[in-house]
Amino acid sequence: MSSAFWFPSLPVSEVVDAFTGWGYSVSPEQVARPTSDFVLGVYSACVEQLTGITLDTLQEPIEQALATTDNPDVYSQALAHNLLLYHIQRFANAAKILDFSAKDIYFPDPDRTRSIFSAFINFIKFSEQSEAFITRLRSQSTAVIKERQAVLEETAELEQRMTEFKVRRAEDEPKCEALRQENAALMEQVIAYKDHQMGFLQDVESLKQEKAALVAEKEKVTSEMAVVSENINRTRSRIVQSPERIKRNISSMGHTAAEDKRTVAANEAKTRDLQTKIAALLNIEKDVRSCVEQLQVIEKEMRALDAAQKELGDLKDTLDRKKGERAELVMRRERVHKQFSNAQEKLERAQRHAEDKRIASQQTIERLQREYEEMAVERRDNDRQVEELRAEADEIERKMAEHMKTSQAELNELLAEYWKLRHETEVYMETLANKLGMQVRST
């Protein structure tokens, strides 16, 4: 075998016992002279023993593949054999039979077939011994696959939510634009109201100052009237006998009182005007307060809009973070797969080494026991027979090598003839199809 790994060829009896123990009945004659159907059944049983893959489990993908062809009956059997051969080759690669091919199924060689059987048996026994480790690795792989599926579902959900947010944002964009325009108009109105308010406040301040001046003047007039009344009282107490002077004083005091009354009436008219202006200013203040309340409502709506935009930004950041986490999980999954592959290779190497050492030790112990039992009686005969057997083995190996070369050359010739014949057949079919106006799909 052209492989970098060496497998001890088990005796025919051990091969038969191993397959019988797995529930597959074989006979020594079938192992010694294998046929194509026999080795195909044995290889299929080995694959089923370790992976559970059979022709029945492959039937569904076969039907799916044949559904795309025009003539499924023509390709069904070939496709089934090719799929089964693919899985047997994967199994052989795992068992380190790297040069396994269809020739080992359709043209089985007894010695090579027995070596392949030995490798398969050793690999299956090794897998059964390491069942706990393999089960743990399978559970870890299943957990990683589930985690990846969960991440993919979460990513799809986030993308769907992002799409919904984009749709909602696109739907709300005209409303937002209208609100922005309305907000700009309201802001302009508020600015104008503020300017009017400043003018009104200045008018109110000037009116307050004028009112304060009028109140001060009124108080002054009131104090003057009090002084005049006091003077009148004093004058009455000091009436003289000159009636002309009294008349003049009375006339002047009457004029003064009339002027004071006119001044008081003017002040009262100004006071009424000021009260009217104050009432108007109060109404303006109420309007300004309502405008301020509207501004507050607009500010609340603007804050709500800013909060919605902020939430949208947070969702975008969350989506970016989830994308980063997904990329990180993908990288972690790849690293875990690589670590799993490296660990599996290390385990396979260690177990192969241990199995080789165990088999070698067992064979050495058996050989030593046989030699010890037969040493006293058949030592010379055994040495002579060993020499003869070695010579015969060398001769058989030489003949086998020649036979393999001859068989390989014949097989190459047959393959070349087969491909030539197939090419000519395809050319003939294409020519015939062109003549008949038919379409023939190349296989």
Side-chain angles (χ1 to χ4, degrees), residues 26-43:
V26 299
S27 63
E29 291 78 10
Q30 288 177 324
V31 177
R33 290 184 294 276
T35 61
S36 175
D37 295 334
F38 169 69
V39 297
L40 180 61
V42 172
Y43 294 156

Side-chain angles (χ1 to χ4, degrees), residues 5-244:
F5 297 88
W6 175 81
F7 298 96
S9 295
L10 298 177
V12 176
S13 59
E14 291 188 11
V15 174
V16 173
D17 293 339
F19 287 124
T20 303
W22 292 328
Y24 190 78
S25 178
V26 299
S27 63
E29 291 78 10
Q30 288 177 324
V31 177
R33 290 184 294 276
T35 61
S36 175
D37 295 334
F38 169 69
V39 297
L40 180 61
V42 172
Y43 294 156
S44 301
C46 292
V47 172
E48 182 180 1
Q49 177 70 23
L50 194 61
T51 63
I53 297 175
T54 61
L55 279 174
D56 294 334
T57 60
L58 296 175
Q59 193 63 33
E60 183 176 355
I62 290 173
E63 292 177 355
Q64 293 178 357
L66 291 175
T68 60
T69 60
D70 296 333
N71 298 316
D73 296 335
V74 177
Y75 306 106
S76 59
Q77 187 174 3
L79 183 59
H81 281 284
N82 284 334
L83 282 177
L84 187 60
L85 174 61
Y86 170 72
H87 288 288
I88 294 174
Q89 283 179 333
R90 289 181 62 226
F91 184 83
N93 289 331
K96 300 306 177 184
I97 306 297
L98 304 180
D99 56 349
F100 188 89
S101 63
K103 176 184 175 183
D104 296 316
I105 296 178
Y106 301 109
F107 303 100
D109 181 73
D111 294 334
R112 178 176 171 81
T113 300
R114 188 156 59 90
S115 299
I116 295 173
F117 284 169
S118 302
F120 283 9
I121 290 169
N122 288 330
F123 182 67
I124 293 174
K125 287 183 178 180
F126 161 73
S127 300
E128 291 176 350
Q129 293 174 359
S130 307
E131 185 176 1
F133 178 76
I134 294 174
T135 303
R136 187 172 69 255
L137 289 180
R138 285 177 178 173
S139 63
Q140 292 177 356
S141 177
T142 304
V144 170
I145 292 173
K146 289 181 179 179
E147 184 179 359
R148 177 177 178 271
Q149 186 66 27
V151 170
L152 290 176
E153 291 177 357
E154 186 177 359
T155 303
E157 183 179 357
L158 288 174
E159 289 178 353
Q160 184 178 1
R161 288 179 61 189
M162 190 64 188
T163 304
E164 292 177 356
F165 278 120
K166 287 181 179 179
V167 172
R168 287 174 57 188
R169 183 181 180 184
E171 292 176 353
D172 295 339
E173 187 64 28
K175 297 180 181 179
C176 293
E177 186 63 28
L179 289 174
R180 291 192 193 100
Q181 294 177 359
E182 186 178 357
N183 186 21
L186 290 174
M187 288 296 294
E188 292 178 356
Q189 292 180 3
V190 167
I191 293 171
Y193 287 153
K194 284 186 176 179
D195 294 337
H196 290 301
Q197 183 185 11
M198 293 299 295
F200 290 149
L201 290 175
Q202 291 177 358
D203 294 339
V204 168
E205 188 67 25
S206 62
L207 290 173
K208 284 182 179 180
Q209 292 176 359
E210 187 176 355
K211 180 182 177 181
L214 291 173
V215 169
E217 187 176 355
K218 182 180 178 181
E219 290 177 355
K220 182 180 178 181
V221 169
T222 304
S223 63
E224 289 179 355
M225 287 177 67
V227 172
V228 168
S229 298
E230 186 179 357
N231 291 329
I232 290 171
N233 292 328
R234 282 198 307 268
T235 304
R236 284 178 180 177
S237 64
R238 294 183 298 173
I239 295 175
V240 293
Q241 298 300 321
S242 178
E244 295 296 333

